[in-house]
Amino acid sequence: MLRFMFVGDSMTIGSAGEHTWRHRMWQHLLATLGDTDFAVVGPRRALHDKVSGEPVSYDYACTDPAFPRHHFAGWGEGWLHMAPQIADAVRRDGADVLLISLGLIDLGFYTNAEQTAQNMRRFVAQARAANPRIRLVLLPVIPNIRARTDAPFAAEVSRFNVLLAKAVADLDTGASPLLLASAPPSYDIDVDTYDGTHPGESGEHKLAAAFADAMHQAWGLGAPYAPTPRPLPLPAVELSPTG
């Protein structure tokens, strides 16, 4: 059984009333691996509550009790925050595969591209200290609406993504593979987010697809991503009069 852990910032934890891309990914894993060949783990379960500003909501749009809400994501958290904590999280839950979307917060508020890349490398070292055979799938930073008007910030995002690709190439090993997913080519912040940063329904599917397709192409895991269709309403049945 593979034990997956979602690691990320506000795009991954999600907020009250959302499905989250974690839910979309779980549906994909369920459809392609079956319910006995994987588990979703993590020390946290809540969504971000925008009223209190704290991760205290359990108001997921998905009400399926089978959906595992476990994760290791936080609103306003980045590589800087996760690197010192990841070893304990991996050790606690025995994670085998980390699906990681981090960096936007770091670059926006805390560290430049080089410092962020150093924290990413520290994160990898700590994860491997807890599990020497851990697999990591990393998503490049997707520029948000700020990058349209803040040229220095946009440059840092671009620079970090180059450094991230280099770090993945440097740190990848046969025992503990690192995989760089591709940013969704059709991702449009005007369409796929609700505020220029956080994914809406279409964005959730595209983020899940980025991870799913990368793992299928590189590791033969699962299958290409296909959104789970919504159930169609049953056709109305016209009753014949009796008597």
Side-chain angles (χ1 to χ4, degrees), residues 14 33 43 52 60 95 112 115-116 130 136 170 174 180 214:
L33 298 182
S52 67
Y60 283 85
N112 62 26
Q115 293 166 332
T116 304
L136 301 92
D170 289 346
L180 184 64

Side-chain angles (χ1 to χ4, degrees), residues 26-176:
W26 168 71
Q27 288 184 307
H28 171 76
L29 294 172
L30 194 63
T32 58
L33 298 182
D35 59 2
T36 61
D37 288 342
F38 81 98
V40 173
V41 300
R44 304 174 184 177
R45 291 171 57 87
L47 294 160
H48 180 76
D49 180 76
K50 291 182 179 178
V51 176
S52 67
E54 299 293 333
V56 295
S57 174
Y58 293 87
D59 182 23
Y60 283 85
C62 170
T63 57
D64 185 345
F67 170 43
R69 291 153 173 80
H70 303 285
H71 63 81
F72 188 40
W75 201 276
E77 297 186 60
W79 292 109
L80 174 68
H81 309 86
M82 296 303 192
Q85 303 180 66
I86 191 59
D88 285 344
V90 168
R91 196 175 290 116
R92 172 188 180 275
D93 290 317
D96 300 300
V97 184
L98 304 182
L99 306 181
I100 308 165
S101 174
L102 287 170
L104 187 66
I105 291 297
D106 303 83
L107 299 167
F109 299 97
Y110 300 111
T111 51
N112 62 26
E114 284 73 17
Q115 293 166 332
T116 304
Q118 289 172 3
N119 285 328
M120 173 265 168
R121 289 172 178 264
R122 181 185 174 199
F123 177 103
V124 173
Q126 291 298 311
R128 285 174 168 170
N131 178 1
R133 302 192 67 82
I134 195 86
R135 302 189 201 183
L136 301 92
V137 189
L138 304 97
L139 188 71
V141 173
I142 298 174
N144 66 351
I145 196 168
R146 176 178 168 182
R148 286 181 174 171
T149 56
D150 186 339
F153 171 67
E156 287 298 305
V157 170
S158 179
R159 173 65 177 156
F160 171 72
N161 283 340
V162 171
L163 295 174
L164 178 66
K166 183 179 188 305
V168 168
D170 289 346
L171 300 176
D172 180 41
T173 69
S176 174

